[in-house]
Amino acid sequence: MKLHEYQSKQLFAQQAIPIPRGRVAMTAAEAKSIAEELRGRVVVKAQVLVGGRGKAGGIRLANSPEEALEIATQILAMQIKGLPVRKVLVDEAANIQAEIYLGVTNDRAARRPVMIASAEGGVEIEEVARTAPSKIARLHVDPLLGLREYQARDLAASIELPREHWRAFIDIARGLYEAYRECDATLAEINPLVITGAGTLLALDGKMVVDDNALFRRPKLAEMRDLDEEAAAESEARKYGLSYVKLDGDIGCMVNGAGLAMATMDVIKLAGGAPANFLDIGGGAGADKVAAALEIILSDKSVRAVLLNVFGGITRCDEVARGILMALQDVPLSVPMVTRLVGTNEEEGRRLLAAKDLPTATTLAEAARLAVAAARQGVAA
Amino acid sequence: MKLHEYQSKQLFAQQAIPIPRGRVAMTAAEAKSIAEELRGRVVVKAQVLVGGRGKAGGIRLANSPEEALEIATQILAMQIKGLPVRKVLVDEAANIQAEIYLGVTNDRAARRPVMIASAEGGVEIEEVARTAPSKIARLHVDPLLGLREYQARDLAASIELPREHWRAFIDIARGLYEAYRECDATLAEINPLVITGAGTLLALDGKMVVDDNALFRRPKLAEMRDLDEEAAAESEARKYGLSYVKLDGDIGCMVNGAGLAMATMDVIKLAGGAPANFLDIGGGAGADKVAAALEIILSDKSVRAVLLNVFGGITRCDEVARGILMALQDVPLSVPMVTRLVGTNEEEGRRLLAAKDLPTATTLAEAARLAVAAARQGVAA
Amino acid sequence: MSILIDKKTRLMVHGITGREGMFHASQMLEYGTKIVAGMTPGKGGEWVLDGKVPVFDTAKMAVEATGANCSVLFVPAKAAADSMLEAADAGVALIVCITEGVPVQDMMQVRSYLDQRGTRLVGPNCPGLLTPGECKVGIIPGHIASAGGVGVVSRSGTLTYEVLYALKARGLGVSTCVGIGGDPINGTSFVDALEMFEDDARTDSVVMIGEIGGSDEERAAEFISDRMSKPVVGFIAGRTAPPGKRMGHAGAIVEGGSGLAVDKIKALEGAGVKVAEHPDAIAELVAERGRKARRRVKR
Amino acid sequence: MSILIDKKTRLMVHGITGREGMFHASQMLEYGTKIVAGMTPGKGGEWVLDGKVPVFDTAKMAVEATGANCSVLFVPAKAAADSMLEAADAGVALIVCITEGVPVQDMMQVRSYLDQRGTRLVGPNCPGLLTPGECKVGIIPGHIASAGGVGVVSRSGTLTYEVLYALKARGLGVSTCVGIGGDPINGTSFVDALEMFEDDARTDSVVMIGEIGGSDEERAAEFISDRMSKPVVGFIAGRTAPPGKRMGHAGAIVEGGSGLAVDKIKALEGAGVKVAEHPDAIAELVAERGRKARRRVKR
């Protein structure tokens, strides 16, 4: 789960990381009154869960409360990469002398957290990593010991941070690591971490991604989820423990397992079709999950055929079949559906579907061919 | 630093360990009003930092507020093992079905925390450990991982706790471990942890010892130190970072290093004398420390001679000599003093003392003989 | 021979009294796996599966009483870390964690601890292990594979079954199938499994099924190139996945630049791996390599 | 030969710019110890001790630049755990922590981490090491010991100096003196040091100085009885200490029943150790054993 900049910065502030004074506003009028409170120049920043806000014009400087009103009005009317801007953060403008990057994430290969710093913050860190990897300092953290003071100091030394900023940098790095730990984050980053004209460090922008699997023990973070920012279908899917991503094609997919779901999409493409979505019904999916999944797929108007591909491991084929039949009681099947059930209790599953005249395939390639043909027939009809 | 029962139980309660309702009282009248609040039978418990309160009559049951007043009056007039009782804890009386022991401490040999449990709580755990070691379950904890739920369950199973109490026991054990961690304790124990008539678990008595070396990061615990409970000389010594223990003899000792201090005491005894105290001026002791140490020793009226034994490592002999001379400016030397300075800058130290006519010895045995003789002469004189 | 599990495996099932645990324990038992113990706190003393399997309250008790040397976990995600540590402390040499949804920071701690002890973990979020005809630990349907010389290792669950199914249809048997799971931090990597297959006398070729995300496949390619003598056939799921979109597994996030299917395929092909275009083609490629190998032997 | 330190030791001094660090660094340098680096965060780039020793900001930088293989710590107690971990991570093989007052829970974590890495620690709260004529790491006054065949290991600080002083007065030289420190959780135990002395060609006898508290001496007695061929002379401080009273060190708490001087002396004597009544007698016993050994050789 991605958090907004303003949420991430609030979590940072709880770890005593200095952030600019400022607040989030839902309306332009609110933005103006925040600007009045802050006095002086402010920055109005679109709060949307995509990158590239700056380039899209979603981050702008305002010299007065009136200008803040005007800019907030404009930004709140924007869409950035298809996402409507519903909130703006109004922050005191900072006097920036230098921009640092500081982040912590999980290193899969090393199986431990890695803290990353660069004296060249502010730009795309991936770009620096690609073109000048020596400018990126990496430091692995023992997951049982946490980030120690000396490690944060090593990092400061590695990026050749002037020594007068070490104390502040060490405290911020340890605070950031704590935020990452306390929030079960998979990413916590400050970019840029600026050195101000007054010689202090300030987290000007912040980003956190929280491990969805850990939300059960982070109830306060779970409440931070911004439902506005998710497609309705994706929110609906999550409610049932389904993983759904909308795509551009016309063949709705319902598959158990992410790997098989991706392979199914690959095979649809090989067969000349295009998947309308990724949908993983997960392991141990019961009838209610399958029914919900089918409803979500059919609610997408561009879907012209459905391919249901289930290989039964934890999810038993008979359960899947019952789920489909149950869903069909509520949702009339507006497009053709090809099903493929193989694995645990497969005969029982196929028997249940065949009894209701639902076409079944045995190989994945065959299922994809049938689905692509069915979608074309739909278009032709 | 030892904590009182009522302090320990407050710390346990912060980890959600159930404790009896109750409060501490400084006067009998207060004890009465607490008993009135609690209603029903109460237990009045002397709060002194020694064991064996129960046997000494410091823990008594009161059936009414009036009885609580009477008992508190008696207990607050007591001395237990030489310590005056200045506070009583007034707790709701519990309906006890069974008594368990549960504690966590540092296992020096294993170099990790060890959690100890026994189904036979309430009595002296050392006694059970000695006579029926199989009734004591021990479980080592990885200091980086902490006490895990399964370990607490293993412990419950080891002491054959009825299964219906496992959930409560696991939570209490993990809470106790957290208290131990959060307080930098060297001991945290609940004895007895009782199973009540209502089938719940309750920490009836609690004891914590906090690592003095960690008090710098536990300011709230440092405030809990009960100055009333310490001899004035020991408090004074601690202020200067000295380690002082009053003993029964007449030869005051001032030594650097605990091992050498103990050996010095041993040698005094071998020479036929008796040490009046243990006093370790520690490593890196400056002149002010030494002066304070001398003042503390001389304030003990049973001291008939002083043996100052310093072997210079971190503490340099010239510093010690200057400390003595400085102290002698404020404190007239009422008894003879034998000094022995060997090690770093020893010549300079001896020269400084010799210039003021202070007798010096070279071996420890010689120093002890001289001090014992001086103390006897003092008695003869 | 085979890797990780065989007829000597003495299995303990964590969470055996739960719905999934019970269902799959009965499937494993039916397959011939020696389930010597079940483990559910609070249910110690019961006997399940027609009185064939004793249930214990703690893993320690189970291992002491039954000599279990392998643990399989069907426990809720929030209890998984604890169960893995418990199994390791009880002394089993191999832990297979089926549970999905284990927090990634839990996994980092667990791996760190298990590595200190030298305990092998497979998973989490994996289908487990299958040595056809000998032992099944996990949820891989037993009837879709027969015994033979193909080692299978996969990050995916159900996609693996596809491949086993297709191999069997072509008469190709499997030495051991290892589902390593799709989570970003897991116990056994591709390289670990490939190394075991290389050393296993029964295995004569290997199928490796990867996914987008991470760089485990790239490290596997390096290992294959440097150390493998046996032929490897590969497949990478997610060629058509849009970059940067999360695909159910945390393991399937495409991480800035690396982790793309195209890079993984390139790395594998560079190491001499035949990479299949779709799952059905995997079995075909294995059969083809087998024919070639036989032809080489004949000449 | 000697144990732990010798002429090849390349020392880094943590906290070299502090008062104690600077004083003892100059003493060590004067003794002949190769101090290759100092370490004080924020003072990197300075040169201290008449421009002989460069100061670094981090241990990593110091080790990379100078090849330091041993670290000695003169840092405040609250920074000690961090400094020990830093030195271990920087790759030194031996850490000597002079600092006293390190919280015991810090030490448990540090030991656990150092053991994983295989880094040896001596201390904390110890006087350090002295290999007479070769190298001094810590605060043991150099002039009170000469080179020879007696290995000395001690929990105490200044009491050790007493013994060194008395040995020298009798013309007995020392191979290495190891001050293991009096804290309840430390790096090197009596058994560790005895094992090294047993294996050291130069050492022909050992002096072991214990204290009340804990059971390290009892374990040492067991080791001596089972494994030591070289004669050991012992001393235990605290015969007259009242039981249960805290004696400055946390290490000197008498722990319920065990830890008493009388038990330790009994255990050592049971293992064939000659236990001295007072510190001055130690040297006498060593000399006596030496004479006996020589007599045995002569016959």
Side-chain angles (χ1 to χ4, degrees):
Chain A
M1 180 180 94
K2 285 182 191 173
L3 295 183
H4 281 295
E5 173 192 4
Y6 78 94
Q7 295 170 323
S8 304
K9 278 154 85 174
Q10 280 164 8
L11 292 165
F12 294 168
Q14 285 172 18
Q15 303 295 339
I17 294 174
I19 59 169
R21 292 189 306 138
R23 263 195 355 263
V24 77
M26 305 287 285
T27 65
E30 240 183 295
K32 185 188 174 205
S33 81
I34 295 168
E36 279 162 354
E37 274 171 44
L38 293 174
R39 293 161 191 245
R41 300 202 305 169
V42 298
V43 186
V44 182
K45 308 174 86 174
Q47 300 295 291
V48 278
L49 296 176
V50 287
R53 293 173 302 164
K55 281 181 197 156
I59 300 178
R60 288 168 60 193
L61 202 65
N63 290 301
S64 66
E66 290 67 33
E67 214 181 320
L69 177 76
E70 200 185 307
I71 289 173
T73 307
Q74 290 165 13
I75 292 181
L76 285 166
M78 287 173 71
Q79 289 216 343
I80 300 182
K81 294 187 184 168
L83 288 175
V85 179
R86 296 184 207 268
K87 293 179 201 132
V88 291
L89 175 61
V90 183
D91 263 3
E92 189 174 38
N95 177 351
I96 300 171
Q97 297 295 309
E99 298 188 322
I100 298 164
Y101 173 89
L102 184 65
V104 56
T105 188
N106 306 326
D107 185 334
R108 297 164 66 127
R111 297 182 303 269
R112 40 186 57 197
V114 62
M115 197 129 204
I116 295 169
S118 173
E120 303 206 355
V123 293
E124 288 286 315
I125 185 69
E126 292 88 353
E127 188 61 18
V128 178
R130 208 168 50 78
T131 56
S134 68
K135 289 190 176 156
I136 307 269
R138 286 180 176 77
L139 189 140
H140 285 108
V141 180
D142 184 303
L144 297 177
L145 266 181
L147 181 77
R148 306 289 308 202
E149 171 147 346
Y150 74 90
Q151 295 179 302
R153 192 163 50 234
D154 277 352
L155 212 50
S158 298
I159 63 167
E160 291 174 4
L161 186 71
R163 231 179 244 151
E164 64 264 33
H165 301 303
W166 283 15
R167 185 69 258 155
F169 179 87
I170 289 168
D171 291 342
I172 290 171
R174 297 188 77 187
L176 186 64
Y177 185 82
E178 270 315 295
Y180 156 89
R181 279 285 301 151
E182 290 291 310
C183 300
D184 261 301
T186 54
L187 173 76
E189 73 177 11
I190 303 173
N191 188 26
L193 172 64
V194 302
I195 303 177
T196 68
T200 58
L201 297 192
L202 197 61
L204 221 56
D205 199 349
K207 189 172 173 183
M208 284 189 95
V209 183
V210 175
D211 182 358
D212 286 330
N213 288 340
L215 287 177
F216 71 86
R217 62 184 172 204
R218 308 293 180 199
K220 279 181 192 156
L221 292 178
E223 281 168 21
M224 286 189 181
R225 188 186 290 278
D226 191 341
L227 295 173
D228 285 354
E229 293 273 342
E230 285 193 334
E234 297 186 12
S235 311
E236 184 70 14
R238 198 163 29 70
K239 258 196 261 167
Y240 289 90
L242 308 170
S243 185
Y244 174 87
V245 181
K246 166 102 187 71
L247 301 169
D248 299 330
D250 58 3
I251 298 176
C253 305
M254 171 155 92
V255 189
N256 66 334
L260 187 56
M262 286 190 288
T264 304
M265 287 157 54
D266 294 351
V267 174
I268 287 171
K269 208 122 191 186
L270 277 174
N277 64 277
F278 166 95
L279 195 158
D280 173 11
I281 57 171
D288 54 337
K289 262 196 187 180
V290 177
L294 198 52
E295 284 195 60
I296 288 162
I297 291 172
L298 292 176
S299 71
D300 176 358
K301 292 307 156 212
S302 48
V303 167
R304 306 217 156 256
V306 176
L307 196 168
L308 190 153
N309 184 19
V310 170
F311 206 107
I314 280 189
T315 310
R316 302 192 294 264
C317 296
D318 56 332
E319 272 185 86
V320 179
R322 281 196 197 90
I324 297 162
L325 298 176
M326 188 191 291
L328 292 179
Q329 288 174 0
D330 295 334
V331 194
L333 200 53
S334 46
V335 298
M337 179 163 77
V338 178
T339 65
R340 175 166 176 272
L341 299 180
V342 197
T344 311
N345 293 3
E346 58 184 67
E347 294 81 7
E348 173 70 3
R350 286 205 201 116
R351 198 188 54 74
L352 286 168
L353 293 183
K356 299 285 176 182
D357 290 330
L358 287 168
T360 60
T362 52
T363 71
L364 178 50
E366 182 197 351
R369 273 194 305 274
L370 287 175
V372 171
R376 285 196 186 138
Q377 278 176 347
V379 174
Chain B
M1 180 181 93
K2 285 182 191 171
L3 295 183
H4 281 294
E5 174 193 3
Y6 77 94
Q7 295 169 323
S8 303
K9 278 154 83 175
Q10 279 164 9
L11 292 165
F12 294 168
Q14 285 172 19
Q15 303 296 339
I17 295 174
I19 60 169
R21 293 189 306 138
R23 263 195 356 262
V24 75
M26 306 286 284
T27 65
E30 239 182 297
K32 185 187 174 207
S33 80
I34 295 169
E36 279 163 355
E37 274 171 46
L38 293 174
R39 293 163 193 245
R41 300 202 307 168
V42 298
V43 187
V44 182
K45 308 175 86 174
Q47 299 295 291
V48 279
L49 295 177
V50 288
R53 293 173 301 165
K55 280 181 197 154
I59 300 178
R60 287 169 61 194
L61 203 63
N63 290 301
S64 66
E66 291 67 33
E67 213 180 322
L69 176 77
E70 201 186 307
I71 289 173
T73 307
Q74 290 166 12
I75 292 181
L76 284 166
M78 287 174 71
Q79 289 216 344
I80 300 181
K81 295 188 183 167
L83 288 176
V85 179
R86 296 184 207 270
K87 292 178 201 133
V88 290
L89 175 62
V90 183
D91 264 2
E92 190 175 38
N95 176 353
I96 301 172
Q97 297 296 308
E99 297 188 322
I100 298 164
Y101 172 90
L102 184 64
V104 57
T105 188
N106 305 325
D107 185 334
R108 298 165 65 126
R111 297 181 303 268
R112 41 185 57 197
V114 61
M115 198 131 203
I116 297 168
S118 173
E120 303 206 356
V123 293
E124 287 286 316
I125 184 71
E126 291 88 351
E127 189 61 20
V128 177
R130 208 170 49 79
T131 56
S134 68
K135 289 190 175 157
I136 307 271
R138 286 179 178 78
L139 188 140
H140 285 109
V141 181
D142 184 304
L144 297 177
L145 266 181
L147 181 77
R148 307 288 309 201
E149 172 146 346
Y150 74 91
Q151 295 180 303
R153 191 162 54 234
D154 276 352
L155 213 50
S158 298
I159 63 168
E160 291 174 3
L161 186 70
R163 233 181 242 152
E164 64 265 32
H165 301 304
W166 282 16
R167 185 70 257 157
F169 179 86
I170 289 168
D171 291 342
I172 290 171
R174 296 188 78 188
L176 186 64
Y177 186 82
E178 270 316 295
Y180 158 88
R181 279 285 302 150
E182 290 291 308
C183 300
D184 261 302
T186 55
L187 173 75
E189 72 177 13
I190 304 173
N191 189 25
L193 172 64
V194 301
I195 303 177
T196 67
T200 58
L201 297 191
L202 197 62
L204 221 55
D205 199 349
K207 189 173 174 182
M208 283 189 96
V209 183
V210 175
D211 182 358
D212 286 328
N213 288 339
L215 286 177
F216 71 86
R217 63 184 172 205
R218 308 293 180 198
K220 279 181 192 156
L221 292 177
E223 282 168 20
M224 285 188 179
R225 187 186 291 278
D226 191 341
L227 295 172
D228 284 356
E229 293 272 342
E230 286 193 333
E234 297 185 12
S235 312
E236 184 69 14
R238 198 163 29 73
K239 259 197 260 168
Y240 290 91
L242 308 169
S243 184
Y244 174 88
V245 181
K246 168 101 187 72
L247 301 170
D248 298 330
D250 57 4
I251 298 176
C253 304
M254 170 153 90
V255 190
N256 65 333
L260 187 56
M262 286 190 287
T264 303
M265 289 157 53
D266 294 351
V267 174
I268 288 171
K269 208 122 190 185
L270 278 174
N277 63 277
F278 167 94
L279 194 157
D280 173 11
I281 58 172
D288 54 336
K289 262 195 185 179
V290 177
L294 198 54
E295 283 194 62
I296 289 162
I297 290 173
L298 292 176
S299 71
D300 177 357
K301 292 309 155 208
S302 49
V303 168
R304 306 217 154 257
V306 175
L307 197 168
L308 189 153
N309 185 17
V310 169
F311 207 109
I314 281 189
T315 310
R316 302 192 293 266
C317 296
D318 56 331
E319 271 185 86
V320 178
R322 283 195 196 89
I324 297 162
L325 298 177
M326 188 191 290
L328 292 179
Q329 287 173 2
D330 296 335
V331 194
L333 200 52
S334 47
V335 299
M337 179 164 77
V338 178
T339 64
R340 176 166 177 271
L341 299 180
V342 197
T344 312
N345 294 4
E346 60 184 67
E347 295 80 8
E348 174 70 2
R350 286 204 201 118
R351 198 188 54 75
L352 287 167
L353 293 182
K356 300 283 176 182
D357 291 330
L358 287 169
T360 59
T362 51
T363 70
L364 178 50
E366 182 196 350
R369 275 194 303 273
L370 287 175
V372 171
R376 284 193 187 143
Q377 277 176 348
V379 174
Chain C
M1 262 179 64
S2 56
I3 69 169
L4 293 165
I5 57 166
D6 55 27
K7 281 181 183 150
K8 282 172 283 179
T9 298
R10 296 176 65 79
L11 187 67
M12 153 161 69
V13 180
H14 292 245
I16 198 167
T17 56
R19 185 170 155 277
E20 295 297 334
M22 185 67 83
F23 174 78
H24 289 292
S26 84
Q27 297 270 314
M28 288 187 273
L29 204 60
E30 201 173 289
Y31 194 77
T33 304
K34 282 196 196 71
I35 302 183
V36 297
M39 213 292 269
T40 301
K43 305 258 171 126
E46 293 182 12
W47 287 77
V48 294
L49 297 173
D50 302 327
K52 291 193 194 100
V53 177
V55 181
F56 296 86
D57 282 315
T58 73
K60 209 168 122 191
M61 289 169 149
V63 169
E64 276 166 13
T66 67
N69 56 16
C70 177
S71 265
V72 64
L73 271 56
F74 294 94
V75 299
K78 59 178 150 186
D82 217 57
S83 292
M84 287 183 260
L85 296 171
E86 176 169 15
D89 263 0
V92 303
L94 171 64
I95 300 170
V96 180
C97 183
I98 307 301
T99 305
E100 70 174 288
V102 183
V104 65
Q105 295 201 8
D106 284 6
M107 281 314 303
M108 292 194 284
Q109 297 201 335
V110 167
R111 258 309 296 261
S112 173
Y113 187 76
L114 264 52
D115 286 353
Q116 282 172 47
R117 292 190 56 100
T119 307
R120 173 161 297 281
L121 170 69
V122 175
N125 189 17
C126 80
L129 304 167
L130 178 68
T131 292
E134 296 200 18
C135 186
K136 159 178 148 141
V137 173
I139 62 173
I140 302 175
H143 61 277
I144 59 168
S146 52
V150 183
V152 177
V153 56
S154 171
R155 262 170 77 184
S156 173
T158 46
L159 178 54
T160 316
Y161 310 160
E162 281 285 348
V163 174
L164 294 177
Y165 196 69
L167 287 171
K168 191 183 180 188
R170 289 189 168 261
L172 292 165
V174 166
S175 57
T176 299
C177 174
V178 184
I180 61 173
D183 276 6
I185 311 286
N186 59 11
T188 294
S189 67
F190 278 126
V191 169
D192 295 333
L194 290 171
E195 200 164 9
M196 290 186 270
F197 280 132
E198 175 69 12
D199 293 343
D200 176 43
R202 188 198 280 176
T203 303
D204 49 39
S205 68
V206 178
V207 169
M208 175 188 145
I209 302 160
E211 275 180 15
I212 52 172
S215 54
D216 214 23
E217 290 81 0
E218 283 85 342
R219 282 194 301 281
E222 214 172 293
F223 177 82
I224 291 165
S225 165
D226 294 349
R227 305 265 311 273
M228 289 279 288
S229 67
K230 297 176 182 176
V232 180
V233 168
F235 177 76
I236 303 292
R239 285 176 201 239
T240 57
K245 275 282 190 182
R246 183 172 169 161
M247 288 295 164
H249 290 185
I253 300 171
V254 177
E255 289 157 326
S258 85
L260 289 173
V262 59
D263 294 336
K264 293 175 185 298
I265 291 167
K266 212 170 129 187
L268 287 171
E269 287 181 339
V273 174
K274 276 275 171 200
V275 181
E277 271 211 320
H278 60 87
D280 298 337
I282 295 172
E284 207 169 304
L285 288 171
V286 174
E288 202 174 282
R289 293 231 148 182
R291 279 194 297 273
K292 276 191 200 159
R294 274 193 297 278
R295 271 204 299 278
R296 274 202 299 277
V297 171
K298 277 182 190 162
R299 279 172 196 173
Chain D
M1 261 178 67
S2 56
I3 69 167
L4 292 165
I5 57 166
D6 56 27
K7 282 180 182 151
K8 281 172 284 179
T9 299
R10 297 177 65 78
L11 186 67
M12 153 161 68
V13 181
H14 292 245
I16 198 167
T17 58
R19 186 169 155 278
E20 295 298 334
M22 185 66 84
F23 175 79
H24 289 292
S26 83
Q27 298 269 315
M28 287 187 272
L29 203 61
E30 201 173 291
Y31 194 78
T33 304
K34 282 196 197 72
I35 302 184
V36 297
M39 212 293 267
T40 301
K43 306 259 171 129
E46 293 183 12
W47 287 78
V48 295
L49 298 173
D50 302 326
K52 292 194 194 97
V53 177
V55 181
F56 296 86
D57 282 315
T58 73
K60 209 168 119 192
M61 289 170 148
V63 168
E64 277 167 13
T66 68
N69 56 18
C70 177
S71 265
V72 64
L73 272 55
F74 294 94
V75 299
K78 59 178 150 186
D82 217 56
S83 292
M84 286 184 261
L85 296 172
E86 176 169 14
D89 264 359
V92 303
L94 171 64
I95 300 170
V96 180
C97 182
I98 308 301
T99 306
E100 70 174 286
V102 183
V104 65
Q105 295 200 7
D106 284 5
M107 281 314 304
M108 292 194 284
Q109 296 200 336
V110 167
R111 258 310 295 262
S112 173
Y113 186 77
L114 263 52
D115 287 354
Q116 282 171 45
R117 290 191 56 101
T119 308
R120 173 161 295 283
L121 170 70
V122 175
N125 188 19
C126 81
L129 305 167
L130 178 67
T131 292
E134 296 199 18
C135 185
K136 160 178 148 140
V137 172
I139 62 174
I140 302 175
H143 62 278
I144 59 167
S146 51
V150 184
V152 177
V153 56
S154 171
R155 262 171 77 184
S156 172
T158 47
L159 178 53
T160 317
Y161 311 159
E162 282 285 347
V163 174
L164 294 177
Y165 196 69
L167 287 171
K168 191 183 180 189
R170 286 189 171 261
L172 293 165
V174 166
S175 58
T176 298
C177 174
V178 183
I180 61 173
D183 276 7
I185 311 286
N186 59 12
T188 294
S189 68
F190 278 126
V191 169
D192 295 332
L194 291 171
E195 201 164 9
M196 289 186 269
F197 281 132
E198 175 69 12
D199 294 342
D200 175 44
R202 189 201 279 176
T203 303
D204 48 40
S205 67
V206 178
V207 170
M208 173 187 147
I209 302 161
E211 276 179 15
I212 51 171
S215 54
D216 214 23
E217 290 81 0
E218 284 85 342
R219 280 193 302 280
E222 214 172 293
F223 177 83
I224 291 165
S225 166
D226 294 349
R227 306 264 312 273
M228 289 280 287
S229 66
K230 297 177 183 176
V232 179
V233 169
F235 177 76
I236 302 291
R239 286 176 199 237
T240 57
K245 276 284 190 181
R246 179 170 170 165
M247 289 293 166
H249 290 186
I253 301 170
V254 177
E255 289 157 326
S258 84
L260 288 173
V262 60
D263 294 335
K264 292 175 186 297
I265 292 167
K266 212 171 131 187
L268 287 171
E269 288 180 338
V273 174
K274 275 275 170 198
V275 181
E277 272 212 318
H278 59 88
D280 300 336
I282 296 172
E284 208 170 305
L285 288 171
V286 174
E288 203 175 281
R289 293 231 148 180
R291 281 193 297 273
K292 275 190 200 160
R294 274 193 298 279
R295 272 203 301 275
R296 271 201 302 273
V297 171
K298 277 181 192 164
R299 275 169 199 176

